[in-house]
Amino acid sequence: MLVRLPGVYPAQHDTWALVGALKQVTLGPDSRVLDLCAGSGVLSVCAAKQGAGRVTAVDVSRRAFATTWINARLHRRSVRVVRGDLTEPVRGERFDLVVSNPPYVPAEAAGLPHSGIARSWNAGTDGRAVLDRICVQVPDVLNAGGVLLLVQSALSGIEKSQTMLEERGLRVDVVSRVEVPFGPVLAARRDMLAQRGVIGPGQRSEELVVLRAVK
Ligand SMILES: C[S@@+](CC[C@H](N)C(=O)[O-])C[C@H]1O[C@@H](n2cnc3c(N)ncnc32)[C@H](O)[C@@H]1O
């Protein structure tokens, strides 16, 4: 069971796709895991339950910070919870595994929300405002041999993520793909996305992809 303060992202298809990929990774007492964009902390709790010795959760939202803290305690798992912008709070540290389900939904406007639950999904007009920063920042916080598991929609450029990570020396594979129906956010943006040519006419589902990048 997970608790969730109002305004915190509820675990859903993308979360579960990442949980599935996380369960394929072997973790032990020496494993250092970073959950970037932690939300409810579900991925942190999952990594700790899988045996990771040191789990750090980062989220920019105060409510997500509090929710992750509560969920870690409810599940009697040790998770260091830090509030801040992407890898900024862990600068200088190194991790064996980074898991991330960032905001990746193309929005009407380029600017990112500073508060509210829309901060969980709105990611600029191309959906890449946070993804691009993750692809730049994460290689610097991974140990050699360390792994990034990143989930995103095909609507926000899988190849761009792949290319950016490969340019930084990582080996990238797609480890899972799942087609899911548009939720309320994308359903409300269908006309806008069709006008931009991001989706086809009548399209009502998106592909979620989990990338595995090894340093
Ligand atoms: C899609 S939710 C994912 C939540 C959870 N990891 C899951 O899979 O269910 C994205 C989260 O990213 C957080 N976030 C957005 N921008 C961020 C940033 N610049 N730095 C850290 N967290 C951020 C939001 O507050 C939100 O909790």
Side-chain angles (χ1 to χ4, degrees):
M1 192 200 72
L2 290 167
V3 300
R4 187 170 61 86
L5 293 179
V8 175
Y9 189 77
Q12 45 196 293
H13 292 297
D14 47 6
T15 315
W16 304 124
L18 202 44
V19 165
L22 173 58
K23 285 189 172 164
Q24 305 303 312
V25 181
T26 304
L27 297 169
D30 293 333
S31 305
R32 295 190 55 146
V33 176
L34 174 63
D35 177 6
L36 213 50
C37 302
S40 63
V42 54
L43 294 156
S44 294
V45 170
C46 189
K49 284 189 173 177
Q50 251 176 266
R54 284 178 287 177
V55 180
T56 301
V58 175
D59 202 289
V60 74
S61 145
R62 280 191 183 84
R63 287 168 183 240
F65 170 93
T67 300
T68 296
W69 190 91
I70 293 166
N71 281 322
R73 266 137 203 89
L74 267 179
H75 287 260
R76 299 182 196 283
R77 301 292 153 172
S78 166
V79 175
R80 175 173 64 134
V81 190
V82 193
R83 185 173 162 252
D85 179 24
L86 297 185
T87 61
E88 176 67 31
V90 295
R91 192 187 289 171
E93 297 183 40
R94 294 288 179 273
F95 299 88
D96 304 301
L97 174 67
V98 177
V99 288
S100 189
N101 178 8
Y104 54 72
V105 177
E108 205 152 325
L112 298 180
H114 295 294
S115 61
I117 196 163
R119 187 158 55 173
S120 297
W121 50 74
N122 276 357
T125 49
D126 62 358
R128 297 208 53 92
V130 182
L131 280 168
D132 283 348
R133 294 180 61 219
I134 286 178
C135 292
V136 170
Q137 291 182 19
V138 167
D140 290 340
V141 298
L142 279 177
N143 280 322
V147 173
L148 163 67
L149 290 175
L150 174 68
V151 67
Q152 67 168 95
S153 169
L155 302 184
S156 42
I158 306 297
E159 277 182 21
K160 177 91 188 289
S161 301
Q162 233 165 331
T163 303
M164 288 185 75
L165 291 165
E166 283 168 357
E167 282 170 356
R168 285 158 183 85
L170 278 68
R171 204 177 61 248
V172 186
D173 292 301
V174 171
V175 291
S176 91
R177 292 179 185 272
V178 59
E179 191 75 22
V180 301
F182 284 168
V185 173
L186 274 178
R189 294 179 188 173
R190 266 183 50 216
D191 289 348
M192 177 191 79
L193 294 172
Q195 273 163 22
R196 289 185 191 163
V198 176
I199 62 171
Q203 185 172 336
R204 285 184 162 74
S205 64
E206 64 173 330
E207 186 179 44
L208 298 177
V209 171
V210 179
L211 294 175
R212 179 176 186 271
V214 184
K215 183 165 171 180

